[in-house]
Amino acid sequence: MTSLSVIVITKNEAHNIEACLRSVHFADQIVVLDSGSMDETVQLARKLGAEVIVNSQWLGFGVQKNRALALASSDWVLSIDADERLSVELQAEIQEVLAHPVADAYCFPRLSSYCGQYIHHSGWYPDPVTRLFRRGAARFSDDIIHEKLVVKGQVSPLGNRLLHESFPDFETVLDKVDRYSSAGAERLLSMGKSSSFPKALGHGLWAFIRTYFLQRGFLDGWMGLALAISNAEGTYYRYLKLWLLLLDRKASSPSS
């Protein structure tokens, strides 16, 4: 079987890192690139056998993942987030694939949880993600948030699930809505996008309609409704923050 490096970027993931790393125990190398955790993330990762490097110069998810990728030394690389775990079935499937790889990269479905419930609709599933790839055949986009893996070559699907413990409680929901909407606003600003208060309202309303009705979030029960509302809030805040950034830029412009 060809060798495998696992790369993980972290910051304050002590509550997640053990389950994450135990699910990739079969890897030849595990690299954890930490962004300056204040909890026990680094110590726990080292205790579990990971090579831990700390780089607190945060330039976004894409840049940080490429830094971690540069530290991988095996034939193949698996990128996994700290709040993700390989199911037992996916562990076995990946090991089988690595024995006789036929593609340059592999994607698999991701099943995410929201406040303790796995979400099977709402646009959250099957949510295919490409994470396993031949080293040198792919790199991450340099996006601040929602980075993508850019693959040169063939991508083939696997059948088993990656489990994503994305929102264990509502406090996490609120924290991520705030942080991700801020990062998303900065990204839209860098892309030259425009916004206004009515646009922010419209984007938020459309996010709710898309999640709850078009993507059948109502089939996820009350959690589906809660998820649709938080999706709407996150979208609304992203465009509202973009509008405020544009107002600040206009106010600080020499011609204003």
Side-chain angles (χ1 to χ4, degrees):
M1 185 172 67
T2 53
S3 60
L4 176 68
S5 292
V6 172
I7 58 173
V8 190
I9 65 170
T10 59
K11 184 172 184 180
N12 297 330
E13 294 286 356
H15 57 296
N16 276 320
I17 195 63
E18 183 172 358
C20 171
L21 297 189
R22 288 193 184 282
S23 78
V24 295
H25 63 89
F26 56 90
D28 300 280
Q29 178 193 35
I30 299 176
V31 174
V32 172
L33 181 58
D34 190 78
S35 300
S37 292
M38 303 299 290
D39 61 9
E40 300 297 310
T41 300
V42 169
Q43 294 89 330
L44 287 170
R46 284 181 174 145
K47 183 179 178 181
L48 291 164
E51 300 173 21
V52 182
I53 298 90
V54 177
N55 187 329
S56 302
Q57 186 188 21
W58 179 258
L59 296 175
F61 285 93
V63 171
Q64 196 74 348
K65 286 191 176 182
N66 281 325
R67 288 170 173 166
L69 176 57
L71 300 169
S73 59
S74 298
D75 304 315
W76 282 75
V77 179
L78 172 66
S79 173
I80 186 171
D81 292 341
D83 59 357
E84 296 173 338
R85 299 93 175 81
L86 302 186
S87 63
V88 173
E89 297 80 6
L90 184 55
Q91 292 177 35
E93 189 174 15
I94 286 175
Q95 291 177 80
E96 290 174 7
V97 162
L98 291 181
H100 304 285
V102 296
D104 298 290
Y106 292 88
C107 64
F108 27 81
R110 180 170 63 172
L111 181 62
S112 299
S113 66
Y114 181 89
C115 295
Q117 176 179 318
Y118 283 112
I119 302 296
H120 291 85
H121 307 91
S122 305
W124 273 29
Y125 190 79
D127 187 27
V129 290
T130 304
R131 298 295 187 78
L132 178 66
F133 54 96
R134 195 187 308 273
R135 187 164 63 93
R139 71 180 303 278
F140 293 93
S141 63
D142 288 330
D143 294 310
I144 296 172
I145 190 174
H146 301 315
E147 72 291 343
K148 297 178 180 64
L149 186 67
V150 181
V151 180
K152 297 178 291 185
Q154 178 187 351
V155 180
S156 293
L158 300 183
N160 290 295
R161 295 168 173 170
L162 175 70
L163 302 177
H164 186 203
E165 307 298 330
S166 50
F167 296 98
D169 49 47
F170 199 65
E171 286 72 18
T172 307
V173 173
L174 294 175
D175 176 61
K176 283 194 174 182
V177 164
D178 182 38
R179 290 189 294 110
Y180 278 57
S181 61
S182 294
E186 292 283 356
R187 180 172 179 267
L188 290 173
L189 183 68
S190 69
M191 295 168 63
K193 299 295 184 179
S194 65
S195 187
S196 64
F197 187 75
K199 275 189 177 181
L201 284 175
H203 279 289
L205 178 60
W206 171 243
F208 177 84
I209 293 171
R210 183 182 64 245
T211 302
Y212 194 66
F213 294 106
L214 300 183
Q215 296 173 329
R216 301 188 300 168
F218 56 87
L219 294 177
D220 290 309
W222 288 113
M223 283 300 181
L225 178 59
L227 172 58
I229 292 171
S230 63
N231 275 357
E233 288 179 330
T235 304
Y236 164 71
Y237 288 134
R238 181 165 68 249
Y239 282 90
L240 184 70
K241 290 176 180 181
L242 173 61
W243 175 53
L244 295 174
L245 288 171
L246 290 167
L247 289 178
D248 286 344
R249 174 181 284 184
K250 184 178 180 180
S252 60
S253 174
S255 60
S256 61

